[in-house]
Amino acid sequence: MSTSANPGFDMLNSASDNPSSDPPDVAQPARQNLLFDIVPFVVAVLLAGLCCGLFVRRGLGLPILGYDISPAERVLNGEVPYRDFLYNYTPGVLWLNAALMKLFGVSLLTVNFALFAFKLGALIVLFVIARRLTCPW
């Protein structure tokens, strides 16, 4: 029984004694939804990092990487694509690789780490887009 003159006021006070607690029926589904969203994402990023990380020092497509790295070194030395040498693709990747080589040194490892970072970023973007466009299982 309420000791104050206004029993409705006591009900409000008892409900607001612990403002940080949510009603159990609302907090539990929200926590489950959060786990349902985050756990597959973390697993996918860890597995992709493991798969690509195993080969980051070795590389998987050396002829393809060589086709991109050799012209990037030429750009780094001041040559201009299409004027000084023939390159079949757009020069953006050449300039990016040349900039990375200037910052971190001319090495296959530099390009492999950049490729690794790009692949992980693409995985994250793809996962977020797929999560928004598909319905849960």
Side-chain angles (χ1 to χ4, degrees):
M1 189 107 189
S2 175
T3 58
S4 74
N6 190 348
F9 182 72
D10 285 340
M11 285 177 49
L12 289 175
N13 280 342
S14 65
S16 65
D17 284 343
N18 192 357
S20 66
S21 68
D22 292 330
D25 58 335
V26 174
Q28 189 65 19
R31 192 172 300 126
Q32 286 176 348
N33 286 341
L34 183 65
L35 285 176
F36 183 75
D37 287 342
I38 290 182
V39 169
F41 174 72
V42 170
V43 168
V45 168
L46 288 176
L47 287 176
L50 178 68
C51 290
C52 290
L54 290 174
F55 298 103
V56 76
R57 290 187 153 268
R58 194 174 314 159
L60 293 175
L62 291 178
I64 296 169
L65 281 176
Y67 186 74
D68 287 333
I69 293 172
S70 177
E73 283 184 278
R74 293 177 81 167
V75 168
L76 185 64
N77 292 329
E79 294 183 36
V80 178
Y82 314 117
R83 184 188 74 187
D84 298 327
F85 61 92
L86 179 63
Y87 189 68
N88 291 335
Y89 301 106
T90 56
V93 72
L94 296 179
W95 294 330
L96 176 66
N97 285 336
L100 289 170
M101 287 181 193
K102 188 170 188 170
L103 289 173
F104 300 110
V106 178
S107 167
L108 182 62
L109 194 59
T110 300
V111 177
N112 277 343
F113 273 120
L115 188 60
F116 177 68
F118 177 78
K119 286 181 179 182
L120 279 180
L123 174 75
I124 291 168
V125 169
L126 181 65
F127 187 88
V128 169
I129 290 171
R131 203 54 143 150
R132 290 179 182 223
L133 294 178
T134 59
C135 62
W137 295 40

